[in-house]
Amino acid sequence: MPIVLSESAPQGRGLTILFELEDLARTRFAAAPLPMYELIFTVHSGNWDRLLLPQIRPLAELVRPGRFIPDFFNSARPDFDEAVRQVLGVPSTRVRDQIANMLGTTSPWLRSFAAGTPTSRQDLRSALNAGFRDLIGPNWPETRQAFDAEVRLRSSQAVARGLGDLLGNLHPSISWTSPALHVELSWDTEISLRGTGMLIVPVLHGLTRPAVSMFAEPQPLLFYPVAAPQPGGASLELALGRTRTLVLRALTSERTTTELAKHVGISLPTASQHATALRTAGFVSTHRNGRSVRHRLTRRGWELLN
């Protein structure tokens, strides 16, 4: 099964993932950002400078906007060089089947890669290295910092409110009703994890909706988008103001008003004021949990950011 991105769907439709007790025990967050996926989702988004196309053309032929992402790119290795070796080590028969079924061998290079020629594998190696260097590498330290902050926040949420609550609040298109996790898709299917658990992977580049890879080894993968640090973002800041833009980005993760104030570096009353304004505009939802008030982006808020 390829890497599948979620999509808008009628209520109740989508992928249902059944959890057993052992699955809950084995479900965990990735320990570090996964560079292969950060790169693949960026290329798949189409949101990159076309001047880079000559350097990454083989990768761009395999990862096309609007198409499924071939699962031979599955690599949960935190070291990019190791991830590249794993991708290039996928058997030619598996590569050939996926290209024929999903992309079609419409170019000479794709036909060569499907046939497993050494030069085509080297072409992909060069494209992967160039893509990471030019698209992901310049902001990799900031990516690591944002990833670590997200995992710390989610870990504290799991401790305070339970794993089910955590899973159900990763993104508006993901919901949890024990014993199942539901991801919105335009088609219906139900899959049981059968004791493997899942690896949860926050993604900071390219991804705007959750994605799943159900047959990755050694366990399925659930990806969800987190707003990456933005050196630019001038147009959004002009529309909302710098502080309100920072508040909006901070609420890609659910936070209390106190957590929001600390994260952005503003006073508690100011954080409450901005959250209220964004909620009134439909970009943020708020709910009370005991004595605390918690905020997170609505789908409209995600669309504004992305």
Side-chain angles (χ1 to χ4, degrees):
M1 180 178 180
I3 302 170
V4 179
L5 276 70
S6 73
E7 54 197 89
S8 297
Q11 188 172 6
R13 292 184 66 87
L15 172 64
T16 298
I17 306 168
L18 298 176
F19 282 68
E20 300 173 1
L21 183 59
E22 192 172 1
D23 295 311
L24 292 171
R26 292 184 175 178
T27 293
R28 59 193 176 92
F29 275 85
L34 303 183
M36 183 59 68
Y37 294 114
E38 297 285 348
L39 174 59
I40 294 306
F41 287 129
T42 297
V43 175
H44 187 263
S45 73
N47 187 24
W48 45 274
D49 190 340
R50 286 304 183 273
L51 292 175
L52 296 174
L53 183 59
Q55 287 75 46
I56 68 167
R57 187 180 299 277
L59 179 58
E61 288 201 39
L62 289 167
V63 182
R64 304 178 191 174
R67 300 285 190 96
F68 288 130
I69 300 173
D71 70 5
F72 53 74
F73 284 109
N74 275 329
S75 178
R77 304 288 178 87
D79 179 85
F80 187 67
D81 290 338
E82 291 182 3
V84 170
R85 285 193 291 271
Q86 184 176 14
V87 169
L88 295 179
V90 172
S92 296
T93 52
R94 180 173 159 200
V95 171
R96 184 170 57 249
D97 289 345
Q98 288 225 350
I99 290 178
N101 291 334
M102 296 166 53
L103 301 175
T105 52
T106 55
S107 76
W109 185 85
L110 273 177
R111 288 194 291 273
S112 176
F113 186 69
T117 63
T119 54
S120 66
R121 294 293 174 108
Q122 184 57 46
D123 289 340
L124 181 57
R125 181 191 298 275
S126 298
L128 288 167
N129 286 329
F132 182 78
R133 181 190 66 232
D134 294 332
L135 294 173
I136 306 299
N139 295 317
W140 192 246
E142 292 80 6
T143 296
R144 289 192 61 93
Q145 292 174 4
F147 180 96
D148 291 344
E150 170 70 10
V151 172
R152 285 196 301 271
L153 180 69
R154 296 296 186 176
S155 298
S156 64
Q157 181 181 346
V159 169
R161 299 162 57 186
L163 184 58
D165 186 90
L166 164 68
L167 292 171
N169 284 286
L170 292 173
H171 188 270
S173 65
I174 299 175
S175 59
W176 170 263
T177 302
S178 184
L181 190 70
H182 185 81
V183 183
E184 291 179 5
L185 294 172
S186 60
W187 38 269
D188 290 321
T189 189
E190 184 175 286
I191 297 175
S192 177
L193 292 177
R194 300 186 183 280
T196 64
M198 294 194 81
L199 184 67
I200 304 172
V201 185
V203 177
L204 287 100
H205 298 91
L207 197 63
T208 59
R209 297 185 63 83
V212 291
S213 183
M214 287 305 304
F215 300 118
E217 295 293 343
Q219 61 187 155
L221 303 165
L222 172 65
F223 308 93
Y224 71 97
V226 179
Q230 300 291 328
S235 59
L236 189 58
E237 289 189 11
L238 284 173
L240 297 180
R242 183 174 184 275
T243 301
R244 192 158 294 175
T245 301
L246 291 173
V247 168
L248 190 71
R249 288 180 178 142
L251 292 179
T252 55
S253 298
E254 185 177 272
R255 304 181 194 273
T256 66
T257 308
T258 301
E259 291 168 344
L260 178 61
K262 290 180 179 178
H263 183 85
V264 179
I266 54 180
S267 69
L268 190 61
T270 300
S272 178
Q273 178 185 12
H274 283 301
T276 299
L278 290 168
R279 182 176 68 250
T280 301
F283 299 130
V284 167
S285 65
T286 298
H287 70 275
R288 182 171 293 278
N289 182 29
R291 299 173 64 180
S292 66
V293 175
R294 307 189 68 87
H295 315 279
R296 64 170 177 170
L297 288 188
T298 61
R299 181 171 298 164
R300 187 179 177 194
W302 281 97
E303 291 170 350
L304 180 66
L305 276 182
N306 296 293

